Amino acid sequence: MGDDRPAWARRIAAERAARDWSQREAVRALRAHAPTELPSDDSLIRQWKRWESGASPSDFYRPIIAAVFGTVTNALFPVPGRRDGGREILEASGMETLEIVSRLNRSDVDNATLDALRITTDRLCSEYPFMPSEQLLIEGRQWLRRVVELHSKSLTLAQHREVLALSGWLALLVGCVEYDSGDRHAAESTRRAALSLATESEHGEIAGWAHEMRAWFALTTGDYRSVITAAQAGTEVAEHHGVAVQLAAQEAKAWARLGDRRQVEVALDRGRRLLEGMPHPQNLDNHFVVDPAKFDFYAMDCYRLVGEDKLASTLAEEVLRAGTDFDGTERAPMRNAEARVTLGVTAARAGDLEQALIMGERALQGDRQSVPSLIMTSRELAAEMKNRYSAEPAALDYLASLRALGQEKPGFLPG
C-alpha cells in the first residue's frame, strides 16, 4: 500500500494493527457495533480491504467504523471547519478595535457593538493555542475589564444577560492562561468569577466549562477524586453542551490515573457518544469548542496511562498529523507537545532511549505551552527514564531540563 492513500485509510489500517486484529476480526467488531444486520463476513472483508486501500466508505458505514476504533465520525473522516479564529473582525462586524472601544464608552450600547464584542471574544478564545501567554493574558484582561464596565450602562434585559455571558467567556479564557502560566491562585479566583457570572446569567455551558477548569486544575495537581467530582458536577449543569464531552474525558483521565480501566472505557464511551450526536463546530480553533479531533487526544492520554502502548502511539501519530499543516505549521502546539511525550513514553518502554529523548526534548521546545499539563505528562516520561535509564548521561540531561522547566514555574516542579 502506498502513502498516497487518504489519511483515514492509513489510520484504520494502523488502528487495526495496533489491536493485533486480522481483517476478519475487524469485521466482527464492525458487526458488533452495527445498528442493523450487515452482509456476510466474506463480503465485509472485501469491503474492508477496499477501505484500507482508500475506497471511501458510505455514510452508513463511517460512524460504525469510528465506533469500532473508539472515536467519532468527524475525527476519523474530518470535514472542513473554519480555522481563521474570527480574526477578521472588520470584515465580520464592520468595526475596528478602536471603534468598538469608542462605542463602549457611550451611555448606551447597541446590538452592533455587542455583535462586535462577540466576534472579539471568539477571536481571543481562538488565539489560545497560538498567542504567547503574556500577550494573551494582557489582551484578555483588557477586554474583560471593558466588558465588565458595561454593567454600569443602560442595557435591556437581553443585553444584560449577553454582557454577563461575554464576561463569563473572557473570565474562563483569562483563568486558563493564568493557570498555564503557573499562577494557580489567580486562576482559581478567575474561575470562580466565571462560575458566578454563569450562575447569574443562567448560562449552563459557561458553568460547565468552569467545572471543567476545576477538573483540569485537580488533574494536574494529582487530586484525581476531585477531578471526578468536578466532572460530574459540570455534567449536571451542561449535559447537552459540548463541554460535557470534555468533562467525560477529564473523568476518564482521572480513572486512568487511579488504575480503573473499566471506568476509563465507560467515561470515554460516554464522551464519544455525546460527541457523535453533536453538530460539527464552525470554528475549530476556539478553545471552548470541542474539536472532534481532540477526542483522539483524550483517548491517547488514557491509553498511555493504562499501558496500551500500541494504541497510545497510534493515536499520538494521529494527533500530530491532525495538528500540523502541510507546510509544517503546528495548528495545535500544546496537543502536539503531549503527543510527543506519549511517543517518548512508549519508546522508552520499548527500549528505544534515543527516540524517547528526541520526543521528550521536542515536547519542551514549543513557544506556547500549558506548563501544568506538560509537566504532568512529562513526569511519566521522567519516571520511565529513572526506572530504565538512570545510568545514561543523556537521560540525566533530559531530567535536568525537565526540572529546570519546573523551577521556572514555582509549584510545578516535577518529583
Side-chain angles (χ1 to χ4, degrees), residues 242-254:
V243 65
V245 177
Q246 192 141 323
L247 288 162
Q250 298 290 25
E251 186 176 339
K253 290 181 179 186

Side-chain angles (χ1 to χ4, degrees), residues 27 45 69 83 99 104 138 210 264 286 414:
V27 161
I45 290 170
F69 295 124
R83 283 198 177 273
E99 183 181 353
L104 295 179
I138 291 170
V264 170
N286 189 305

